[in-house]
Amino acid sequence: MKPIWIVDDDESIRWVLEKALAREGLNTRSFSNVREVVDALQLGVPQVLVSDIRMPGESGLELLHMVKQRHPGLPVIVMTAFSDLDSAVAAFQGGAFEYLAKPFDLDKAVELIRRALEESLRDEETELTISDTPEILGSAAAMQDVFRAIGRLSQSNVTVLITGESGTGKELVARALHKHSPRAAQPFIALNTAAIPKDLLESELFGHERGAFTGAQATRRGRFEQAEGGTLFLDEIGDMPFDLQTRLLRVLSDGHFYRVGGHQSLKANVRVIAATHQNLEQRVRDGLFREDLYHRLNVIRLRLPSLRERREDIPLLARHFLTSSAKELGVEAKRLSDQAMQFLSALDLPGNVRQLENLCNWITVMAPGQTVEVKDLPAELIQSAGAAPLPAPSTVLPLPQEPLAPAMLNGDYHAPVTLAPERPANGAHASGSVSTDRHSWLAMLEAEASQMLSSGKPEVMDALGRQFEAALIKTALKHTHGRKNDAAIRLGIGRNTITRKIQELGIAGTLED
């Protein structure tokens, strides 16, 4: 964390603040005049700036004006005498975070500086530098169209509406539009309008004045002010409350807005990029989205393709995410076998790029070995694809003609199956893999359910469900040689869950300690 700068020609004020902040574990740097601060700003920027107004030479208000031009996100606290009300008003108009009236209570001064510090750190997390902007990967024709659109918009300040399914990378495209625009040197501020409660969203967007509502102890800049000169990205715009849509429309129409509880009109020099996974035209027809706002946002529309439309990019993205997650964890990057890569490329992946990234993070942490096979992928992924993750050997047993007996569901019988050529003489399962024909076992399950229902047996769902769970757990335990934790991971359930079900289903006796 960068130090807090204190600017005052009174040495006693500087000393008192230095000592008080040092007790809080905060680093400080002091200056006696504005000129010293201007020179220091050539080499670095503080986390928070605390400055007196009246000093020999240039005033604190002149320093405030200069700092806000160069570093609009830097919180500046202005110190002023009680009698200097006009200066305090001028300080707020100039963008000061808060003013500190002299003589001040030291504890309250430290508390105020801490609030400014928290806002500064929060803004740093949001205002990512251009060097942190991730690259957009893709060689598919659908992505080349997106790249061309970004290129055409590179010198434009026009409003853009990005549409596409969740996880397709709408924020990455918004960052790329900002990075290649004339506003690239200014802040990029992102706000997910669906993630913030309705009562707080107005303050987040437009800021609030001190005392505007309970808990508003200080004036706070909203996202429009934080993005001044740069780009404001409004994600999930389709979920914005209807009454706030009116306020947003006004900003887009004439570029002016008011803070919550404020009476002074503020000018916004901000480029707005909006994104949604919803059908805005339908929401307009349903009366949930203002038609005039829709037309204001829909100046240039950029649709992002789903991962299903660019399957050829999956290997490129998977290798990138595996490398990134390995680097983050400080381990060697894993690689997908050709079969595993083909399997991934054939999946629908409804979560798109985000789901693929999460999957690669899972592989880095959970998959055994450096080369990942299909069987090493999450069980639920394999099951959802209807794929047999294990190799298919030679002998196929025929489907029995009689209805499925309960014993067939508790793990004692598997049909039809493909088995390894040899089976140990003691009757134990071979070490080779077993894969079950999906449609056949479903047909047998339906037959057994039909027989139980026809005979009037009670609680059919519970009975078959218990047998089904027992079969799955026993098979998983055989596959992991009795290791419950490994079996739970393969089944996608918790260790406590598998322990409880082993006891409930009465299969604990089959385990080895």
Side-chain angles (χ1 to χ4, degrees):
M1 185 175 66
K2 293 170 288 196
I4 297 164
W5 288 6
I6 303 167
V7 190
D8 200 309
D9 61 318
D10 188 334
E11 184 179 358
S12 62
I13 296 291
R14 299 198 304 268
W15 186 87
V16 166
L17 287 175
E18 286 171 5
K19 296 302 180 185
L21 294 173
R23 284 197 299 270
E24 298 290 319
L26 300 174
N27 294 326
T28 60
R29 183 178 176 185
S30 294
F31 305 86
S32 61
N33 59 67
V34 172
R35 184 47 46 194
E36 291 178 357
V37 179
V38 173
D39 293 340
L41 284 171
Q42 304 301 319
L43 302 175
V45 182
Q47 202 74 52
V48 174
L49 178 65
V50 184
S51 175
D52 191 18
I53 286 184
R54 297 190 182 277
M55 293 178 288
E58 296 167 287
S59 72
L61 291 181
E62 291 174 294
L63 175 60
L64 172 65
H65 178 70
M66 183 200 68
V67 166
K68 284 300 174 181
Q69 280 189 323
R70 298 183 186 179
H71 309 286
L74 173 61
V76 179
I77 297 174
V78 172
M79 295 184 288
T80 180
F82 272 123
S83 59
D84 205 2
L85 182 59
D86 291 340
S87 295
V89 173
F92 276 112
Q93 291 176 342
F97 176 81
E98 183 61 278
Y99 75 92
L100 188 58
K102 292 182 178 179
F104 51 78
D105 180 275
L106 193 55
D107 291 337
K108 290 184 178 179
V110 172
E111 180 186 352
L112 176 60
I113 292 171
R114 274 209 170 277
R115 287 209 309 268
L117 189 63
E118 290 170 1
E119 172 138 341
S120 177
L121 294 172
R122 183 167 55 245
D123 287 352
E124 277 189 354
E125 293 177 0
T126 305
E127 299 173 14
L128 296 177
T129 59
I130 300 305
S131 61
D132 291 332
T133 303
E135 294 295 328
I136 305 174
L137 299 175
S139 58
M143 285 306 295
Q144 295 305 310
D145 290 340
V146 173
F147 297 153
R148 278 192 288 271
I150 293 173
R152 292 191 188 102
L153 292 167
S154 62
Q155 296 304 313
S156 170
N157 285 318
V158 68
T159 302
V160 178
L161 177 63
I162 305 173
T163 61
E165 296 179 9
S166 293
T168 50
K170 294 187 284 292
E171 184 170 341
L172 288 183
V173 171
R175 291 186 183 278
L177 287 169
H178 172 76
K179 177 180 178 180
H180 297 286
S181 76
R183 298 173 177 264
Q186 301 303 318
F188 175 91
I189 302 296
L191 178 67
N192 188 324
T193 59
I196 299 175
K198 175 183 176 182
D199 295 340
L200 299 179
L201 183 56
E202 184 177 18
S203 175
E204 281 291 323
L205 275 172
F206 305 109
H208 62 253
E209 297 289 353
R210 183 181 185 185
F213 49 83
T214 302
Q217 299 178 357
T219 299
R220 186 178 186 279
R221 298 181 307 132
R223 301 306 175 110
F224 270 97
E225 288 180 82
Q226 293 173 18
E228 180 64 20
T231 302
L232 177 60
F233 173 57
L234 299 177
D235 199 6
E236 300 300 350
I237 192 69
D239 292 310
M240 176 175 279
F242 198 85
D243 51 347
L244 275 187
Q245 295 176 25
T246 305
R247 290 204 62 181
L248 178 60
L249 177 63
R250 165 150 190 188
V251 183
L252 295 177
S253 301
D254 62 18
H256 288 85
F257 67 95
Y258 293 86
R259 293 188 186 129
V260 176
H263 303 287
Q264 179 183 353
S265 177
L266 301 175
K267 175 71 174 175
N269 175 22
V270 172
R271 180 193 193 183
V272 172
I273 298 176
T276 182
H277 72 281
Q278 302 191 58
N279 185 330
L280 285 189
E281 291 89 344
Q282 184 60 49
R283 290 185 70 80
V284 169
R285 288 192 289 270
D286 294 340
L288 300 173
F289 201 84
R290 291 184 62 107
E291 184 174 7
D292 44 7
L293 177 58
Y294 165 73
H295 291 302
R296 280 283 178 184
L297 294 171
N298 193 34
V299 179
I300 298 291
R301 178 178 292 208
L302 195 55
R303 178 189 171 274
L304 298 191
S306 68
L307 207 49
R308 298 182 300 281
E309 301 171 67
R310 44 182 294 221
R311 292 184 187 276
E312 58 268 45
D313 284 342
I314 291 178
L316 173 68
L317 291 165
R319 284 190 288 268
H320 169 72
F321 291 139
L322 286 173
T323 301
S324 298
S325 59
K327 185 176 181 180
E328 183 178 341
L329 293 173
V331 298
E332 184 181 351
K334 295 181 179 178
R335 64 173 296 274
L336 293 164
S337 68
D338 292 342
Q339 293 79 9
M341 191 68 82
Q342 291 172 6
F343 177 78
L344 283 188
S345 299
L347 294 177
D348 283 344
L349 295 174
N352 293 293
V353 180
R354 184 184 297 118
Q355 182 181 0
L356 180 60
E357 181 179 11
N358 292 340
L359 173 61
C360 290
N361 291 335
W362 185 96
I363 290 172
T364 299
V365 176
M366 301 298 296
Q370 288 303 116
T371 300
V372 180
E373 303 292 345
V374 175
K375 63 183 178 62
D376 300 321
L377 298 175
E380 63 271 15
L381 199 68
I382 299 170
Q383 292 166 3
S384 67
L390 307 171
S394 55
T395 308
V396 178
L397 299 182
L399 175 68
Q401 300 302 312
E402 63 274 8
L404 182 65
M408 298 179 185
L409 284 169
N410 64 16
D412 297 331
Y413 186 92
H414 304 275
V417 295
T418 56
L419 300 176
E422 291 189 36
R423 190 180 176 107
N426 60 9
H429 283 287
S431 60
S433 302
V434 181
S435 64
T436 306
D437 183 282
R438 180 168 179 262
H439 298 290
S440 299
W441 75 259
L442 284 174
M444 290 188 290
L445 177 62
E446 291 173 1
E448 175 65 13
S450 176
Q451 183 185 41
M452 293 177 70
L453 291 168
S454 299
S455 62
K457 290 186 178 180
E459 300 179 348
V460 173
M461 178 72 77
D462 181 64
L464 290 180
R466 289 174 60 85
Q467 293 172 16
F468 181 75
E469 286 185 338
L472 281 178
I473 292 173
K474 290 179 71 174
T475 303
L477 289 169
K478 290 173 184 175
H479 186 72
T480 61
H481 305 289
R483 294 190 299 272
K484 288 191 291 185
N485 194 42
D486 290 350
I489 292 173
R490 292 299 181 95
L491 290 173
I493 61 178
R495 178 180 173 83
N496 291 339
T497 301
I498 195 171
T499 300
R500 174 173 52 80
K501 287 189 175 294
I502 285 171
Q503 295 173 346
E504 290 177 354
L505 298 171
I507 58 178
T510 65
L511 298 178
E512 295 181 3
D513 293 335

